[in-house]
Amino acid sequence: MEAGEQKDQNTTGDATNSEQQPFSKNKQKKLLKQQRFEAKKAEKKALMKEQKKKEGERKRKEWQDTLESLPEEERSKLIEARKGLRKERMEKRSEEKEKKIERLTRAKENGQKIVIDLEFSHLMSSNEINSLSQQIMYCYAVNGRSPTPAHLWLTGCSGGIGSQLQMLPGFDKWIIEKENGSYIEAFQGQKSNLVYLTADSETVLDILDCSKIYIIGGLVDRNRCKGITMKKAQEQEIQTAKLPIGNYLKMSSSQVLTVNQVIEILLKFLETRDWKESFFQVIPLRKRCETSSKADDGVAEEGDTDEKDEQDSKKRCVEVDAELPEKLDVLPKLTTDTQPL
């Protein structure tokens, strides 16, 4: 009995020591770097919020001072003029919303089907799941603005990512398909039309086929899960393909694109039918080396999300929709080559 108790104590001690075993120096550096980044990000967010508050107060005071400095008649005219501008702005927004709904409804009937596979949330941290939900919001925003939108599907909308998506403003009203199950279940009888986009594929995607259903891996993994989407596609015996980025430009050290960048590339191609133009409009300059017809294959993969890419996306992906709060509508859309997505 005593020997058994001693064995149990040793086992417990070994487990405790194993749990308390310190991280490697490399892991500690990565954790420290991530902590510094998160602290800096929180500090920057708080600073921007404070600046926005001060700017609002300044504008209100400026408006009040202007009114007080005018005679009653001119003051009334100015107030009415401002009301007129606000009404005009709301009417324009309403018109844009109607056009957007019309485009997305048409896409639902005959647009290119693109799936974001969300069955990887169990591999991600809460911060990574939050990053992915933000990317999906940008996907919906840019698709709504596109003159040739696709019909977007979210499959595997359960667990952590499902809860996070429900927190997005207006998510329940999005014109998008949401499935708790897998894309295999969602497209029963259409398995031959499924094409998983992954950098590990040997097949280069030459053109988008409207009869095909293209799948993008919704995974923010900080480069931990290499080749996971290719393995999944092979196990499910579905087709794979990679974007022909390597035919048009060389990528720098980071060859992985965010989910919203992949969506925007596909949407640009649907609009222009030109891969080169699509890549150069979307892929950030810092990720490019030089143009080349025999460059390295740099395609959208299940890999990392670049925090800088995510910040740039916030500047470009504007959701012009009355369903979303006004805060989401005021983000400027950048169109210069020096500040790409």
Side-chain angles (χ1 to χ4, degrees):
M1 186 68 177
E2 292 180 359
E5 290 178 355
Q6 183 67 34
K7 184 177 180 180
D8 290 342
Q9 290 176 0
N10 291 339
T11 303
T12 303
D14 291 342
T16 303
N17 292 335
S18 177
E19 291 175 0
Q20 295 177 350
Q21 186 175 0
F23 293 119
S24 65
K25 288 184 178 180
N26 190 38
K27 182 66 173 178
Q28 288 178 15
K29 286 180 180 179
K30 286 183 178 180
L31 288 173
L32 187 59
K33 183 179 180 181
Q34 182 66 20
Q35 289 171 359
R36 284 199 299 263
F37 173 81
E38 294 296 340
K40 188 176 180 181
K41 186 177 179 180
E43 183 181 348
K44 185 178 180 180
K45 185 177 181 180
L47 181 61
M48 290 177 66
K49 185 177 181 180
E50 182 64 26
Q51 289 175 342
K52 188 174 181 179
K53 181 180 177 182
K54 289 181 179 179
E55 181 65 13
E57 292 174 350
R58 183 191 68 77
K59 287 183 177 181
R60 282 192 292 272
K61 186 176 184 306
E62 188 179 88
W63 170 249
Q64 193 63 35
D65 291 344
T66 300
L67 292 179
E68 291 176 357
S69 66
L70 296 174
E72 183 65 30
E73 185 177 349
E74 291 185 26
R75 186 186 308 166
S76 298
K77 288 181 179 179
L78 186 59
I79 291 174
E80 288 302 315
R82 184 166 182 173
K83 287 181 179 179
L85 288 173
R86 183 175 296 174
K87 183 180 178 181
E88 182 180 339
R89 189 164 59 246
M90 292 302 293
E91 288 175 350
K92 183 178 179 181
R93 180 175 295 178
S94 179
E95 183 181 349
E96 289 173 343
K97 179 185 175 182
E98 290 176 3
K99 289 181 179 179
K100 170 190 169 182
I101 291 174
E102 183 181 346
R103 290 195 305 272
L104 292 177
T105 301
R106 285 201 307 268
K108 191 172 184 178
E109 296 172 356
N110 51 29
Q112 178 71 66
K113 292 184 177 65
I114 301 177
V115 175
I116 302 177
D117 175 16
L118 303 178
E119 293 187 288
F120 300 105
S121 60
H122 62 289
L123 299 175
M124 294 183 283
S125 67
S126 58
N127 285 339
E128 290 167 345
I129 289 175
N130 179 62
S131 293
L132 179 58
S133 70
Q134 294 296 307
Q135 291 178 38
I136 292 170
M137 181 175 68
Y138 306 147
C139 291
Y140 183 70
V142 75
N143 191 50
R145 287 202 314 269
S146 174
T148 53
H151 185 36
L152 299 181
W153 290 66
L154 302 178
T155 61
C157 287
S158 58
I161 186 62
S163 301
Q164 195 69 41
L165 289 172
Q166 288 296 331
M167 297 171 63
L168 295 177
F171 178 71
D172 290 335
K173 298 180 181 180
W174 285 11
I175 304 176
I176 192 173
E177 303 295 337
K178 308 158 191 173
E179 298 285 344
N180 289 333
S182 69
Y183 47 81
I184 296 290
E185 297 170 337
F187 296 99
Q188 289 183 8
Q190 301 184 63
K191 188 174 180 180
S192 61
N193 291 329
L194 297 177
V195 181
Y196 215 119
L197 298 181
T198 171
D200 299 307
S201 177
E202 295 181 358
T203 304
V204 177
L205 190 66
D206 294 323
I207 195 166
L208 293 180
D209 183 346
C210 201
S211 67
K212 300 295 184 182
I213 302 159
Y214 297 99
I215 306 166
I216 300 169
L219 176 62
V220 178
D221 68 358
R222 312 300 183 202
N223 289 323
R224 291 191 310 269
C225 305
K226 291 292 187 180
I228 191 170
T229 53
M230 184 64 181
K231 182 180 179 182
K232 181 177 182 179
Q234 288 174 333
E235 290 175 349
Q236 294 177 334
E237 298 182 340
I238 63 176
Q239 301 174 63
T240 63
K242 61 182 176 182
L243 298 181
I245 297 178
N247 295 341
Y248 300 96
L249 55 85
K250 282 186 178 180
M251 300 288 280
S252 59
S253 56
S254 179
Q255 298 186 7
V256 181
L257 303 179
T258 58
V259 172
N260 55 283
Q261 286 172 340
V262 181
I263 290 288
E264 188 164 4
I265 287 171
L266 297 179
L267 291 174
K268 284 292 181 184
F269 182 79
L270 289 173
E271 178 185 351
T272 65
R273 295 293 165 176
D274 186 326
W275 283 119
K276 183 176 181 180
E277 183 177 348
S278 303
F279 296 142
F280 275 77
Q281 284 193 36
V282 178
I283 297 176
L285 285 172
R286 68 182 175 280
K287 285 195 172 184
R288 308 181 207 161
C289 288
E290 59 184 272
T291 58
S292 172
S293 60
K294 296 182 179 180
D296 296 334
D297 289 329
V299 294
E301 192 182 357
E302 69 278 2
D304 196 21
T305 185
D306 190 321
E307 298 291 351
K308 177 63 177 173
D309 291 343
E310 189 171 312
Q311 293 168 10
D312 290 346
S313 298
K314 291 179 181 179
K315 296 177 182 177
R316 289 200 51 183
C317 295
V318 185
E319 179 54 61
V320 185
D321 190 337
E323 296 166 356
L324 298 183
E326 203 166 293
K327 291 180 180 179
L328 205 59
D329 292 339
V330 298
L331 300 175
K333 180 184 178 184
L334 303 179
T335 56
T336 60
D337 290 335
T338 54
Q339 291 180 300
L341 180 69

